[in-house]
Amino acid sequence: MASILRVWTAMAEKQPLLTIAVTNGTLGGIGDLLAQTIECHNSKKRFTWNTQRTLRFVAWGALCAPIFHKWYQLLNRKFPLPAKQPKQSVINTGFMAAVTQRVAADQCIYAPMGIAGFYVAMNFMEGRDWESAKARLREYYWPTLAANYAVWPMVQVINFGFIPPIYRVPFSSIVSIFWNTFISWINAQSSSAVDVPVETAHTHVEPRHHDAIDAKV
């Protein structure tokens, strides 16, 4: 394990964006594969690997990794951690204030946009139109955001406060295996509900649950 970490660190120092993109994409695919396995187990059906679905998660993870990297660098610059003084505890007022500001910015700015971006990107990668994207957001955006706030603030406290900068994206990516399992399952429910064929120049098809969603709003 230590040797793998050394190899990964050396690669990340030479090619940070490429290494992080490959790592995040791979872990995103693992999360989706785990979700598919759980779905088949719960439904008592024989496992059939939906490779296209997994590849969509690989693509999304690889795309987001460089954005994570730049976002974390921005947070580091805007809310720097104070230098540790000799004989001073790591936990101090300045330290906690900087970590709190980083987490607040991450959860108030990046998380809402990231979740919306996920559903829209998955919708279009599945070959669906903008109407189905809006239907998916109306039904699943807020529950997913609420679940995010139950998990990620504490994860990011650890990440921003105690994980060295080079390992922050991989740390969040490892946690994301379980998060991706959850959102992959949610997205599978939404893509089943929004069962819309691709629009042509002569057709316009509304999502099957469009009226039901409108009645809720």
Side-chain angles (χ1 to χ4, degrees):
M1 187 66 181
S3 60
I4 294 175
L5 183 60
R6 284 195 297 270
V7 170
W8 189 93
T9 302
M11 293 174 61
E13 288 174 347
K14 293 179 181 178
Q15 297 286 343
L17 295 182
L18 177 61
T19 303
I20 290 170
V22 171
T23 302
N24 209 50
T26 301
L27 294 175
I30 291 172
D32 175 68
L33 182 58
L34 180 58
Q36 291 190 42
T37 303
I38 294 171
E39 289 165 20
C40 287
H41 175 76
N42 291 342
S43 63
K44 309 297 182 183
K45 295 180 180 178
R46 182 179 178 181
F47 178 75
T48 302
W49 185 16
N50 185 338
T51 54
Q52 290 187 344
R53 173 175 147 180
T54 300
L55 287 174
R56 287 193 290 267
F57 270 80
V58 171
W60 175 252
L63 174 66
C64 288
I67 300 174
F68 287 157
H69 182 67
K70 294 299 183 181
W71 172 246
Y72 288 172
Q73 287 181 332
L74 176 63
L75 294 179
N76 291 346
R77 292 194 302 270
K78 294 295 184 180
F79 310 112
L81 297 178
K84 184 180 178 181
Q85 300 299 322
K87 298 182 180 181
Q88 184 181 43
S89 171
V90 174
I91 306 299
N92 58 65
T93 304
F95 172 85
M96 291 305 297
V99 170
T100 300
Q101 288 171 324
R102 290 182 182 189
V103 174
D106 184 67
Q107 293 301 301
C108 292
I109 299 173
Y110 188 88
M113 293 192 299
I115 290 171
F118 165 78
Y119 281 122
V120 172
M122 285 294 168
N123 180 81
F124 289 123
M125 282 193 282
E126 291 165 7
R128 304 177 190 277
D129 64 7
W130 179 239
E131 289 303 316
S132 68
K134 290 190 291 185
R136 187 175 295 195
L137 287 170
R138 280 195 295 267
E139 187 161 358
Y140 295 100
Y141 176 78
W142 292 110
T144 306
L145 187 62
N148 167 87
Y149 288 142
V151 174
W152 281 100
M154 184 54 64
V155 171
Q156 295 296 52
V157 166
I158 298 171
N159 198 16
F160 293 140
F162 303 101
I163 304 298
I166 194 171
Y167 299 123
R168 283 178 186 154
V169 173
F171 174 79
S172 62
S173 298
I174 290 171
V175 177
S176 289
I177 291 177
F178 306 99
W179 175 251
N180 286 339
T181 300
F182 168 72
I183 62 173
S184 176
W185 178 78
I186 291 292
N187 187 65
Q189 311 312 303
S190 67
S191 60
S192 297
V194 188
D195 189 10
V196 186
V198 181
E199 280 194 33
T200 70
H202 305 288
T203 64
H204 179 78
V205 185
E206 293 292 335
R208 289 189 312 186
H209 68 341
H210 185 76
D211 293 337
I213 295 174
D214 285 347
K216 298 177 185 176
V217 177

